[in-house]
Amino acid sequence: MTTDTHPNREDVMAWLDDELDATESAAVRAHVDACPACRALAGDLRAVSAHLAAWQIAQAPESLKLVGARVAPRRHRGFWGIPTRWQLAGLAALLLVGVVASLYVTGGSNRRIEQAAAVQQGQSGRGLAARNLGYIGATSGGADPSQPLVARTASLRLIVVDVDKTRASVEQYLSAHGGSISQLSVSGERPDPRSLTAILKVPSADLAAALAALRALGRVQDESQASEDVTSQSIDLDARLANARRTEQRLAAILLDRTGKVADVLEVEREIARVRGDIERMEAERKQLTGRVVMASIAFNAGEERRAEVTVARGSAASDLRNAASDGVQSVIALGFGAVLGLLRLGPTLAVLALAIAWPARVWWRRRRTARATAR
Amino acid sequence: MTSDEDLMLACRGGSATAFEELFRRYRQPMWGYFRRRVADPAVAEDLAQETFLAVLKGASRYQPLARFRTYMYGIAHNLLAANRRQRHRDATEPLANDVAAPHAPSEDDALWIRQAVGRLDPDDREIVMLREFEQLSYQEIATVLDLPLNTVRSRLFRARLDLARLLAPESEGRR
């Protein structure tokens, strides 16, 4: 195998997956090391695996367990598919959360409003920002503490006439309504149908209107929406953040005393640094959570309809003829070379077989001729 | 360490301890298998439980003809297929793409991965997921999905190239 004779591309993949035997693996590895094209293919395949490796799954729930040597019985469900015992627990928890949240979120509401305003920075529309702050503020101490925090996502796939026009319309809408494009790709090349894929960010309060506007751009193939209640996650995060800040303050007060040994002081400083790291991580998480609630994400895909067209042969006919002739000569050479290789591979075997068959055949023929001669 | 196959043979002989060990080993992998394929975590948990139940019920008939994990994922695959058929029959509206939302470093990365994986052909998607997440060999995937080995290879290759194209934007970078 040389850089001129590439292995089967699937063999490169099989080599990466440890599916080849030792000999094949060594040959493919040596080729990939020397061949930029195959090295690029291997790189692309590794990148796919790296992307997918980011798809983490949370730990299995505690309720997935064995009871003795039996599997835990399936959960019995009450109304709306929610287990009955959880309904009662949920009511009690809701009551408690309502009381705690009304005391707690009053203190944290100012910080959340500031963070929401920071998320809105750079987007057009002060009124838009105010409306979305109201969306968050509705859960703060001012208004209704039981209103949940919900992160909304949607996906929409359309068939459109022209991807470029669709893209321009999408960008125009987002610009006018305080949205943005988080990620975008356009694939395909004319005259083949092209496809646009993007992650759009729109204010959560305007999700329905945004979806209606996007639907109008083409023919809907499929659509879905999802909501995730992140209220408990938010409350838990705020509680942990408050605890961490109190811990930091206590440690700072200890440090101010400086009455202990140097080793103790150093230990306190290390602990402050660790707690500060936790606080910053949780604040980043808080900001991300707020962002998810304030701005809904739409996974948007628009594909052009295939339009068959009569195309005149493009490019140089002479070039096509030359390439065809070259391919033809190459085929003849490959055929001839293959025939020679075949003869070399099979020749010795055929020769031995011929000898093994020819000698007894000759003997038999002679005896037959003699027998005929004597019979006359 | 006792192999899965030996543990299962011990289960066949009535050992509860052996099944507990198998459960401990495969609890998280089974949860992960269903959680990536079913959007509703409650349904995923039910299916994981049903898989262990099916393994336990079939213990008396178990024959170590293939690796235990191939056997287990084969059961899981059949249960998932039956669940999907049931949900399609019961649905009054077309079901949305049932790829569970992944956890990823950022929410956008999660949606990006979900979008890309969701756009694969369903059969190709299953092959690439069994390889990337469950780490099954090509032969094991062929056994679980009842496909020829070469078909698994070629479809896995095609699916990975499709994902490479979908996950790495060509004309516009991520903003």
Side-chain angles (χ1 to χ4, degrees), chain A residues 11 17 54 61 63-64 182, chain B residues 27 45 103 108 112 138 153 160:
Chain A
D11 282 345
D17 287 337
S63 49
L64 181 61
S182 175
Chain B
R27 178 173 177 266
E45 186 183 341
H103 291 278
D108 290 346
W112 195 254
Y138 294 178
R153 267 175 63 121
R160 277 168 159 166

Side-chain angles (χ1 to χ4, degrees), chain A residues 134-162:
Chain A
Y135 187 78
I136 291 281
T139 68
S140 309
D144 182 1
S146 65
Q147 190 170 351
L149 296 176
V150 178
R152 292 196 159 86
T153 58
S155 73
L156 183 64
R157 199 189 314 184
L158 304 178
I159 297 290
V160 299
V161 173
D162 187 306

Side-chain angles (χ1 to χ4, degrees), chain A residues 30-311:
Chain A
H31 176 85
V32 168
D33 286 347
C35 173
C38 290
R39 201 160 50 244
L41 172 63
D44 287 345
L45 294 173
R46 284 196 186 100
V48 168
S49 296
H51 271 115
L52 294 179
W55 187 345
Q56 301 294 317
I57 295 294
Q59 287 297 308
E62 288 299 316
S63 49
L64 181 61
K65 60 186 177 185
L66 275 183
V67 178
R70 296 178 294 110
V71 175
R74 296 175 70 172
R75 299 181 298 176
H76 296 290
R77 304 191 183 282
F79 283 120
W80 305 307
I82 301 171
T84 310
R85 64 177 185 278
W86 282 106
Q87 289 180 346
L88 294 172
L91 280 171
L94 199 62
L95 208 60
L96 183 63
V97 164
V99 171
V100 171
S102 65
L103 296 172
Y104 184 79
V105 300
T106 307
S109 64
N110 286 340
R111 178 170 288 276
R112 278 204 293 278
I113 288 173
E114 285 168 18
Q115 287 173 343
V119 168
Q120 290 292 331
Q121 231 173 18
Q123 295 166 2
S124 63
R126 275 185 305 165
L128 177 69
R131 190 159 75 248
N132 281 295
L133 291 178
Y135 187 78
I136 291 281
T139 68
S140 309
D144 182 1
S146 65
Q147 190 170 351
L149 296 176
V150 178
R152 292 196 159 86
T153 58
S155 73
L156 183 64
R157 199 189 314 184
L158 304 178
I159 297 290
V160 299
V161 173
D162 187 306
V163 155
D164 291 330
K165 286 180 182 166
T166 303
R167 178 178 172 176
S169 301
V170 168
E171 287 174 342
Q172 189 180 9
Y173 178 87
L174 293 174
S175 174
H177 292 85
S180 63
I181 296 178
S182 175
Q183 298 173 19
L184 181 141
S185 80
V186 178
S187 59
E189 202 175 297
R190 287 208 168 100
D192 294 326
R194 295 183 307 153
S195 164
L196 176 138
T197 305
I199 303 293
L200 313 177
K201 297 288 194 184
V202 299
S204 289
D206 292 339
L207 178 61
L211 287 172
L214 292 172
R215 274 187 222 111
L217 297 175
R219 194 170 76 240
V220 176
Q221 270 205 307
D222 60 65
E223 179 181 349
S224 68
Q225 294 188 42
S227 299
E228 185 187 350
D229 190 330
V230 297
T231 312
S232 57
Q233 192 178 339
S234 173
I235 291 173
D236 176 68
L237 184 57
D238 286 340
R240 286 189 289 128
L241 203 46
N243 281 338
R245 289 194 181 113
R246 281 195 290 273
T247 303
E248 187 186 33
Q249 285 166 0
R250 282 199 297 272
L251 288 169
I254 292 171
L255 205 57
L256 280 174
D257 279 345
R258 291 185 182 268
T259 55
K261 294 183 286 191
V262 170
D264 293 339
V265 169
L266 287 175
E267 182 62 32
V268 172
E269 283 183 351
R270 271 195 293 270
E271 189 61 18
I272 287 178
R274 187 192 64 76
V275 171
R276 176 38 45 183
D278 286 346
I279 290 172
E280 285 170 3
R281 189 175 36 79
M282 284 188 280
E283 283 175 344
E285 198 179 325
R286 193 71 190 79
K287 187 176 172 184
Q288 192 195 39
L289 192 62
T290 306
R292 287 176 56 200
V293 173
V294 170
M295 301 296 283
S297 297
I298 302 174
F300 180 72
N301 176 265
E304 285 175 348
E305 209 157 21
R306 182 180 175 278
R307 290 167 295 183
E309 292 175 1
V310 175
T311 54

Side-chain angles (χ1 to χ4, degrees), chain B residues 88-150:
Chain B
H88 274 85
R89 276 202 299 271
D90 294 346
T92 55
E93 300 171 351
L95 290 176
N97 191 320
D98 200 20
V99 175
H103 291 278
S106 79
E107 186 67 15
D108 290 346
D109 284 342
L111 268 177
W112 195 254
I113 294 171
R114 175 182 178 172
Q115 174 111 311
V117 172
R119 287 179 66 188
L120 293 178
D121 171 85
D123 293 332
D124 291 357
R125 183 195 313 150
E126 186 58 31
I127 291 173
V128 79
M129 288 177 78
L130 284 173
R131 175 63 216 164
E132 294 287 350
F133 300 117
E134 279 71 47
Q135 298 284 301
L136 297 190
S137 68
Y138 294 178
Q139 184 56 60
E140 287 173 325
I141 295 171
T143 304
V144 168
L145 300 182
D146 195 23
L147 292 171
L149 181 60
N150 285 335

